[in-house]
Amino acid sequence: MNVVIAYLDTMFSAYPQTPRLLEAKAELRGMMEDAYAGLIAEGRSENEAVGQVIRDFGNLDELAPVLGITSDLAPGTESVAAPIAGPAADTAREGGARSTLPADRLPVVTLEEARAYAAAKERTRFRVAAAVVLFVLSPAVLMVLTVAAQNGLVPLTQTAAAFIGILILLVLIAIGVTLTITASRETAPYERLADGRFTPDPEVGRWAAALGEAHERARIRALGIAITLWVLAPVPLLGFALLLVGSPVQGFWTTVGVALVLVFVATGLGILLPRTWAHTISEQLDRRAGRVDEEGSLVSVVAAIYWPSLTAVFLAWSFIGNAWYISWVVWPIGAVAFGAIAGGISALEAYRNRQASAQ
Protein backbone atom coordinates (compact mmCIF):
# COMPACT_ATOMS: atom_id res chain seq x y z
CA MET A 1 0.00 0.00 0.00
CA ASN A 2 2.96 2.31 0.54
CA VAL A 3 3.65 2.17 -3.21
CA VAL A 4 0.09 3.35 -3.91
CA ILE A 5 0.40 6.25 -1.46
CA ALA A 6 3.75 7.29 -2.97
CA TYR A 7 2.17 7.12 -6.42
CA LEU A 8 -0.74 9.28 -5.23
CA ASP A 9 1.66 11.87 -3.78
CA THR A 10 3.45 12.07 -7.12
CA MET A 11 0.18 12.45 -9.04
CA PHE A 12 -0.59 15.64 -7.14
CA SER A 13 2.98 16.92 -6.88
CA ALA A 14 2.75 18.77 -10.20
CA TYR A 15 -0.12 20.95 -8.98
CA PRO A 16 -0.44 23.68 -6.34
CA GLN A 17 -1.40 22.41 -2.90
CA THR A 18 -4.69 24.29 -2.65
CA PRO A 19 -7.31 23.31 -0.07
CA ARG A 20 -9.55 21.92 -2.82
CA LEU A 21 -6.81 19.75 -4.29
CA LEU A 22 -5.76 18.54 -0.85
CA GLU A 23 -9.35 17.57 -0.17
CA ALA A 24 -9.56 15.76 -3.52
CA LYS A 25 -6.29 13.99 -2.76
CA ALA A 26 -7.63 12.76 0.57
CA GLU A 27 -10.83 11.62 -1.12
CA LEU A 28 -8.91 9.76 -3.81
CA ARG A 29 -6.67 8.16 -1.20
CA GLY A 30 -9.73 6.80 0.57
CA MET A 31 -11.02 5.38 -2.70
CA MET A 32 -7.69 3.74 -3.45
CA GLU A 33 -7.39 2.27 0.04
CA ASP A 34 -10.90 0.85 -0.16
CA ALA A 35 -10.19 -0.67 -3.56
CA TYR A 36 -6.90 -2.12 -2.33
CA ALA A 37 -8.54 -3.65 0.76
CA GLY A 38 -11.31 -5.14 -1.37
CA LEU A 39 -8.83 -6.75 -3.75
CA ILE A 40 -6.82 -8.23 -0.88
CA ALA A 41 -10.07 -9.59 0.60
CA GLU A 42 -10.76 -11.28 -2.76
CA GLY A 43 -7.50 -13.16 -2.44
CA ARG A 44 -5.35 -11.04 -4.75
CA SER A 45 -1.64 -10.80 -3.99
CA GLU A 46 -0.19 -7.47 -2.87
CA ASN A 47 1.45 -6.96 -6.27
CA GLU A 48 -1.80 -7.66 -8.12
CA ALA A 49 -3.79 -5.40 -5.82
CA VAL A 50 -1.36 -2.49 -6.18
CA GLY A 51 -1.26 -2.88 -9.95
CA GLN A 52 -5.07 -2.98 -10.22
CA VAL A 53 -5.49 0.09 -8.01
CA ILE A 54 -3.04 2.06 -10.11
CA ARG A 55 -4.75 0.91 -13.30
CA ASP A 56 -8.12 2.06 -11.98
CA PHE A 57 -7.10 5.29 -10.23
CA GLY A 58 -3.73 6.24 -11.70
CA ASN A 59 -4.81 8.88 -14.24
CA LEU A 60 -5.68 12.17 -12.55
CA ASP A 61 -6.95 13.78 -15.76
CA GLU A 62 -9.60 11.08 -16.10
CA LEU A 63 -10.56 11.29 -12.43
CA ALA A 64 -10.73 15.10 -12.32
CA PRO A 65 -14.43 15.31 -13.32
CA VAL A 66 -15.36 12.70 -10.70
CA LEU A 67 -13.43 14.57 -8.01
CA GLY A 68 -14.72 17.94 -9.20
CA ILE A 69 -11.26 19.44 -9.70
CA THR A 70 -11.15 19.90 -13.46
CA SER A 71 -10.98 23.67 -13.12
CA ASP A 72 -8.32 23.41 -10.43
CA LEU A 73 -5.86 21.68 -12.72
CA ALA A 74 -3.73 24.08 -14.73
CA PRO A 75 -4.83 24.15 -18.39
CA GLY A 76 -2.69 22.01 -20.61
CA THR A 77 -0.91 20.36 -17.71
CA GLU A 78 -0.75 16.59 -17.67
CA SER A 79 -0.75 14.67 -14.48
CA VAL A 80 2.42 12.73 -14.05
CA ALA A 81 3.42 9.75 -12.04
CA ALA A 82 6.82 8.65 -10.99
CA PRO A 83 7.95 5.30 -12.26
CA ILE A 84 7.25 2.73 -9.61
CA ALA A 85 10.19 0.97 -8.04
CA GLY A 86 9.57 -2.16 -6.08
CA PRO A 87 7.62 -5.39 -6.47
CA ALA A 88 4.59 -3.74 -8.07
CA ALA A 89 6.47 -2.21 -10.95
CA ASP A 90 5.59 -4.83 -13.56
CA THR A 91 1.88 -4.88 -12.85
CA ALA A 92 1.68 -1.11 -12.68
CA ARG A 93 3.34 -0.77 -16.07
CA GLU A 94 0.87 -3.25 -17.57
CA GLY A 95 -1.93 -0.96 -16.45
CA GLY A 96 -0.63 2.00 -18.42
CA ALA A 97 1.14 3.94 -15.68
CA ARG A 98 3.92 4.92 -18.05
CA SER A 99 4.24 8.67 -17.63
CA THR A 100 7.43 10.03 -16.11
CA LEU A 101 8.42 13.16 -14.31
CA PRO A 102 10.36 15.95 -16.00
CA ALA A 103 14.12 15.76 -15.56
CA ASP A 104 14.13 18.24 -12.68
CA ARG A 105 11.32 16.38 -10.88
CA LEU A 106 12.61 12.81 -11.01
CA PRO A 107 12.06 11.02 -7.69
CA VAL A 108 15.03 10.86 -5.36
CA VAL A 109 16.60 7.43 -5.03
CA THR A 110 16.36 6.14 -1.47
CA LEU A 111 18.96 4.09 0.35
CA GLU A 112 16.41 1.31 0.91
CA GLU A 113 15.65 1.21 -2.80
CA ALA A 114 19.34 1.23 -3.71
CA ARG A 115 20.06 -1.64 -1.35
CA ALA A 116 17.16 -3.65 -2.76
CA TYR A 117 18.47 -3.06 -6.29
CA ALA A 118 21.97 -4.12 -5.26
CA ALA A 119 20.58 -7.24 -3.61
CA ALA A 120 18.68 -8.12 -6.79
CA LYS A 121 21.81 -7.66 -8.91
CA GLU A 122 23.84 -9.79 -6.52
CA ARG A 123 21.20 -12.54 -6.50
CA THR A 124 20.99 -12.70 -10.29
CA ARG A 125 24.68 -12.29 -11.15
CA PHE A 126 25.40 -16.00 -11.51
CA ARG A 127 22.31 -16.54 -13.64
CA VAL A 128 23.35 -13.80 -16.03
CA ALA A 129 26.90 -15.15 -16.18
CA ALA A 130 25.68 -18.72 -16.71
CA ALA A 131 23.43 -17.57 -19.56
CA VAL A 132 26.30 -15.84 -21.36
CA VAL A 133 28.56 -18.87 -20.82
CA LEU A 134 25.90 -21.17 -22.31
CA PHE A 135 25.49 -18.88 -25.31
CA VAL A 136 29.23 -19.03 -25.96
CA LEU A 137 29.56 -22.79 -25.50
CA SER A 138 26.38 -23.73 -27.38
CA PRO A 139 28.01 -24.46 -30.80
CA ALA A 140 30.95 -26.46 -29.39
CA VAL A 141 29.33 -29.90 -29.39
CA LEU A 142 27.87 -29.35 -32.85
CA MET A 143 31.28 -28.50 -34.31
CA VAL A 144 33.21 -31.34 -32.66
CA LEU A 145 30.55 -34.01 -33.17
CA THR A 146 30.03 -33.17 -36.84
CA VAL A 147 33.74 -33.29 -37.68
CA ALA A 148 34.20 -36.46 -35.58
CA ALA A 149 31.45 -38.14 -37.61
CA GLN A 150 33.08 -37.01 -40.85
CA ASN A 151 36.35 -38.64 -39.75
CA GLY A 152 34.68 -41.83 -38.55
CA LEU A 153 35.69 -41.22 -34.94
CA VAL A 154 32.16 -41.73 -33.58
CA PRO A 155 29.55 -44.37 -34.59
CA LEU A 156 27.20 -41.78 -36.07
CA THR A 157 26.32 -40.60 -39.54
CA GLN A 158 27.05 -36.97 -40.35
CA THR A 159 23.33 -36.27 -40.41
CA ALA A 160 22.76 -37.83 -36.99
CA ALA A 161 25.79 -36.03 -35.56
CA ALA A 162 24.55 -32.71 -36.92
CA PHE A 163 21.06 -33.34 -35.51
CA ILE A 164 22.39 -34.16 -32.03
CA GLY A 165 24.72 -31.16 -32.13
CA ILE A 166 21.96 -28.77 -33.21
CA LEU A 167 19.63 -30.19 -30.55
CA ILE A 168 22.22 -29.59 -27.82
CA LEU A 169 22.89 -26.10 -29.18
CA LEU A 170 19.20 -25.19 -29.05
CA VAL A 171 18.79 -26.64 -25.55
CA LEU A 172 21.75 -24.63 -24.24
CA ILE A 173 20.42 -21.46 -25.85
CA ALA A 174 16.94 -22.11 -24.42
CA ILE A 175 18.39 -22.56 -20.93
CA GLY A 176 20.41 -19.37 -21.35
CA VAL A 177 17.36 -17.40 -22.47
CA THR A 178 15.35 -18.73 -19.53
CA LEU A 179 18.07 -17.70 -17.09
CA THR A 180 18.22 -14.25 -18.68
CA ILE A 181 14.46 -13.78 -18.45
CA THR A 182 14.27 -14.85 -14.80
CA ALA A 183 17.14 -12.53 -13.91
CA SER A 184 15.53 -9.65 -15.79
CA ARG A 185 12.26 -10.13 -13.91
CA GLU A 186 14.03 -9.68 -10.58
CA THR A 187 15.77 -6.48 -11.63
CA ALA A 188 12.85 -5.05 -13.63
CA PRO A 189 11.32 -3.22 -10.64
CA TYR A 190 14.49 -1.14 -10.47
CA GLU A 191 14.64 -0.28 -14.15
CA ARG A 192 14.60 3.46 -13.49
CA LEU A 193 17.78 3.13 -11.43
CA ALA A 194 19.52 1.20 -14.18
CA ASP A 195 18.40 3.84 -16.71
CA GLY A 196 19.46 6.76 -14.50
CA ARG A 197 15.93 8.15 -14.19
CA PHE A 198 16.29 9.40 -10.63
CA THR A 199 17.52 12.36 -8.64
CA PRO A 200 20.83 11.46 -6.93
CA ASP A 201 21.07 11.42 -3.16
CA PRO A 202 24.46 12.11 -1.52
CA GLU A 203 23.99 9.39 1.08
CA VAL A 204 23.12 6.83 -1.59
CA GLY A 205 26.09 8.00 -3.66
CA ARG A 206 28.48 7.46 -0.76
CA TRP A 207 26.98 4.05 -0.05
CA ALA A 208 27.26 3.01 -3.71
CA ALA A 209 30.86 4.22 -3.93
CA ALA A 210 31.76 2.27 -0.79
CA LEU A 211 30.07 -0.84 -2.19
CA GLY A 212 32.05 -0.56 -5.41
CA GLU A 213 35.32 0.00 -3.55
CA ALA A 214 34.70 -3.04 -1.33
CA HIS A 215 34.44 -5.32 -4.38
CA GLU A 216 36.81 -3.52 -6.76
CA ARG A 217 39.87 -5.64 -6.00
CA ALA A 218 37.98 -8.84 -6.82
CA ARG A 219 36.64 -7.29 -10.05
CA ILE A 220 40.07 -6.13 -11.22
CA ARG A 221 41.58 -9.51 -10.43
CA ALA A 222 38.79 -11.27 -12.33
CA LEU A 223 39.16 -8.89 -15.27
CA GLY A 224 42.89 -9.58 -15.45
CA ILE A 225 42.33 -13.35 -15.45
CA ALA A 226 39.55 -13.07 -18.03
CA ILE A 227 41.56 -10.92 -20.43
CA THR A 228 44.51 -13.32 -20.11
CA LEU A 229 42.24 -16.25 -21.00
CA TRP A 230 40.77 -14.37 -23.97
CA VAL A 231 44.18 -13.47 -25.34
CA LEU A 232 45.42 -17.06 -24.90
CA ALA A 233 42.23 -18.58 -26.33
CA PRO A 234 43.59 -19.14 -29.88
CA VAL A 235 46.78 -20.90 -28.65
CA PRO A 236 45.36 -24.48 -28.65
CA LEU A 237 43.83 -23.94 -32.07
CA LEU A 238 47.06 -22.61 -33.54
CA GLY A 239 49.03 -25.42 -31.90
CA PHE A 240 46.82 -28.15 -33.35
CA ALA A 241 46.75 -26.48 -36.77
CA LEU A 242 50.54 -26.09 -36.98
CA LEU A 243 51.73 -29.26 -35.25
CA LEU A 244 49.40 -31.64 -37.07
CA VAL A 245 50.00 -30.44 -40.62
CA GLY A 246 49.45 -33.36 -42.98
CA SER A 247 47.94 -35.57 -40.30
CA PRO A 248 44.71 -37.38 -41.27
CA VAL A 249 43.10 -36.11 -38.05
CA GLN A 250 44.24 -32.51 -38.45
CA GLY A 251 40.72 -31.35 -39.29
CA PHE A 252 39.26 -32.97 -36.19
CA TRP A 253 41.85 -31.57 -33.80
CA THR A 254 41.60 -28.17 -35.41
CA THR A 255 37.90 -28.24 -34.64
CA VAL A 256 38.68 -29.31 -31.08
CA GLY A 257 40.96 -26.28 -30.94
CA VAL A 258 38.05 -24.08 -31.96
CA ALA A 259 35.93 -25.64 -29.21
CA LEU A 260 38.72 -24.91 -26.74
CA VAL A 261 38.66 -21.29 -27.88
CA LEU A 262 35.03 -21.20 -26.80
CA VAL A 263 35.91 -22.88 -23.49
CA PHE A 264 38.62 -20.28 -22.79
CA VAL A 265 36.28 -17.43 -23.67
CA ALA A 266 33.39 -18.87 -21.65
CA THR A 267 35.65 -19.46 -18.65
CA GLY A 268 36.83 -15.86 -18.75
CA LEU A 269 33.25 -14.61 -18.88
CA GLY A 270 32.21 -16.98 -16.10
CA ILE A 271 34.98 -15.57 -13.90
CA LEU A 272 34.41 -11.90 -14.73
CA LEU A 273 30.66 -11.34 -15.02
CA PRO A 274 29.63 -12.42 -11.48
CA ARG A 275 32.13 -9.92 -10.07
CA THR A 276 30.95 -6.82 -11.92
CA TRP A 277 27.65 -6.31 -10.10
CA ALA A 278 28.99 -4.00 -7.37
CA HIS A 279 30.91 -1.92 -9.94
CA THR A 280 27.73 -1.58 -11.98
CA ILE A 281 25.74 -0.44 -8.94
CA SER A 282 28.47 2.05 -8.01
CA GLU A 283 28.59 3.57 -11.49
CA GLN A 284 24.82 3.80 -11.77
CA LEU A 285 24.06 5.27 -8.36
CA ASP A 286 27.13 7.34 -7.48
CA ARG A 287 26.46 10.58 -9.35
CA ARG A 288 28.85 12.68 -7.31
CA ALA A 289 31.58 14.57 -9.11
CA GLY A 290 29.66 14.33 -12.36
CA ARG A 291 29.98 10.58 -12.62
CA VAL A 292 27.46 9.01 -14.99
CA ASP A 293 27.01 5.48 -16.15
CA GLU A 294 27.71 5.85 -19.83
CA GLU A 295 30.09 2.89 -19.79
CA GLY A 296 28.46 1.03 -16.90
CA SER A 297 29.59 -2.55 -16.99
CA LEU A 298 30.21 -2.44 -20.72
CA VAL A 299 32.18 -5.66 -20.75
CA SER A 300 29.12 -7.62 -19.63
CA VAL A 301 26.81 -5.68 -21.94
CA VAL A 302 29.08 -6.22 -24.94
CA ALA A 303 29.55 -9.88 -24.05
CA ALA A 304 25.81 -10.47 -23.83
CA ILE A 305 25.39 -9.14 -27.37
CA TYR A 306 28.72 -10.10 -28.93
CA TRP A 307 28.82 -13.86 -28.43
CA PRO A 308 25.23 -14.69 -29.44
CA SER A 309 25.77 -12.52 -32.53
CA LEU A 310 29.01 -14.32 -33.34
CA THR A 311 27.22 -17.63 -32.93
CA ALA A 312 24.53 -16.48 -35.36
CA VAL A 313 27.19 -15.48 -37.91
CA PHE A 314 28.93 -18.83 -37.53
CA LEU A 315 25.72 -20.84 -37.98
CA ALA A 316 24.49 -18.75 -40.90
CA TRP A 317 27.81 -19.02 -42.72
CA SER A 318 28.09 -22.75 -41.99
CA PHE A 319 24.57 -23.79 -42.95
CA ILE A 320 23.80 -21.37 -45.77
CA GLY A 321 27.25 -21.49 -47.32
CA ASN A 322 27.96 -25.14 -46.39
CA ALA A 323 31.31 -23.84 -45.14
CA TRP A 324 31.99 -25.93 -42.04
CA TYR A 325 35.54 -26.49 -43.24
CA ILE A 326 36.38 -22.77 -42.93
CA SER A 327 33.62 -21.08 -40.92
CA TRP A 328 35.38 -22.00 -37.66
CA VAL A 329 37.80 -19.10 -38.21
CA VAL A 330 35.19 -16.72 -36.79
CA TRP A 331 35.94 -18.09 -33.30
CA PRO A 332 39.68 -17.41 -32.97
CA ILE A 333 39.24 -14.07 -34.70
CA GLY A 334 36.25 -13.26 -32.51
CA ALA A 335 38.09 -14.28 -29.33
CA VAL A 336 41.10 -12.09 -30.06
CA ALA A 337 38.82 -9.20 -31.02
CA PHE A 338 36.83 -9.59 -27.81
CA GLY A 339 40.00 -9.60 -25.73
CA ALA A 340 41.03 -6.33 -27.37
CA ILE A 341 37.56 -4.83 -26.84
CA ALA A 342 37.48 -5.85 -23.17
CA GLY A 343 40.96 -4.43 -22.60
CA GLY A 344 39.99 -1.18 -24.31
CA ILE A 345 36.84 -0.85 -22.20
CA SER A 346 38.82 -1.44 -19.02
CA ALA A 347 41.38 1.20 -19.98
CA LEU A 348 38.63 3.67 -20.89
CA GLU A 349 36.82 3.16 -17.59
CA ALA A 350 40.06 3.61 -15.64
CA TYR A 351 40.78 6.85 -17.51
CA ARG A 352 37.25 8.17 -16.92
CA ASN A 353 37.46 7.36 -13.22
CA ARG A 354 40.78 9.21 -12.92
CA GLN A 355 39.32 12.21 -14.69
CA ALA A 356 36.25 12.19 -12.44
CA SER A 357 38.40 11.97 -9.32
CA ALA A 358 40.55 14.87 -10.50
CA GLN A 359 37.57 17.18 -10.98
Side-chain angles (χ1 to χ4, degrees), residues 87-147:
D90 290 337
T91 52
R93 285 194 193 94
E94 291 172 3
R98 301 177 181 274
S99 55
T100 57
L101 291 170
D104 59 344
R105 295 180 59 82
L106 291 172
V108 176
V109 59
T110 65
L111 185 57
E112 180 182 1
E113 189 179 10
R115 284 176 172 164
Y117 176 43
K121 292 287 286 186
E122 186 176 13
R123 282 195 309 271
T124 59
R125 58 186 175 136
F126 289 109
R127 271 177 278 171
V128 173
V132 175
V133 168
L134 290 175
F135 290 147
V136 175
L137 291 178
S138 58
V141 175
L142 173 61
M143 292 185 296
V144 174
L145 200 57
T146 302
V147 176

Side-chain angles (χ1 to χ4, degrees), residues 255-342:
T255 305
V256 171
V258 176
L260 288 176
V261 170
L262 300 184
V263 171
F264 272 68
V265 170
T267 302
L269 290 169
I271 291 172
L272 174 62
L273 295 183
R275 291 163 180 81
T276 61
W277 69 275
H279 178 74
T280 300
I281 296 294
S282 176
E283 291 249 323
Q284 289 175 340
L285 300 184
D286 182 12
R287 299 298 184 85
R288 297 171 302 152
R291 290 181 61 177
V292 295
D293 183 34
E294 292 180 5
E295 305 302 331
S297 182
L298 268 184
V299 171
S300 59
V301 173
V302 170
I305 300 172
Y306 184 90
W307 293 109
S309 299
L310 199 65
T311 301
V313 171
F314 167 74
L315 293 175
W317 187 10
S318 301
F319 280 111
I320 298 175
N322 194 25
W324 297 97
Y325 66 96
I326 190 63
S327 59
W328 56 265
V329 299
V330 303
W331 297 111
I333 294 174
V336 173
F338 187 80
I341 292 170

Side-chain angles (χ1 to χ4, degrees), residues 132-299:
V132 175
V133 168
L134 290 175
F135 290 147
V136 175
L137 291 178
S138 58
V141 175
L142 173 61
M143 292 185 296
V144 174
L145 200 57
T146 302
V147 176
Q150 288 176 349
N151 287 269
L153 300 176
V154 292
L156 293 171
T157 65
Q158 293 184 29
T159 302
F163 173 77
I164 294 172
I166 293 172
L167 181 62
I168 293 174
L169 181 148
L170 294 177
V171 168
L172 293 179
I173 290 178
I175 294 173
V177 170
T178 301
L179 290 172
T180 302
I181 291 173
T182 59
S184 298
R185 284 188 62 84
E186 286 201 38
T187 57
Y190 312 99
E191 183 179 350
R192 74 181 188 91
L193 301 187
D195 293 343
R197 293 184 282 112
F198 60 88
T199 299
D201 178 85
E203 182 184 4
V204 173
R206 288 190 294 269
W207 174 83
L211 179 69
E213 287 293 332
H215 293 83
E216 186 65 8
R217 180 175 296 181
R219 186 186 76 90
I220 294 299
R221 183 167 57 249
L223 180 61
I225 295 172
I227 290 177
T228 301
L229 288 172
W230 295 332
V231 171
L232 294 177
V235 172
L237 171 61
L238 296 174
F240 290 141
L242 295 176
L243 296 178
L244 297 175
V245 174
S247 170
V249 293
Q250 181 187 13
F252 170 74
W253 284 106
T254 299
T255 305
V256 171
V258 176
L260 288 176
V261 170
L262 300 184
V263 171
F264 272 68
V265 170
T267 302
L269 290 169
I271 291 172
L272 174 62
L273 295 183
R275 291 163 180 81
T276 61
W277 69 275
H279 178 74
T280 300
I281 296 294
S282 176
E283 291 249 323
Q284 289 175 340
L285 300 184
D286 182 12
R287 299 298 184 85
R288 297 171 302 152
R291 290 181 61 177
V292 295
D293 183 34
E294 292 180 5
E295 305 302 331
S297 182
L298 268 184
V299 171

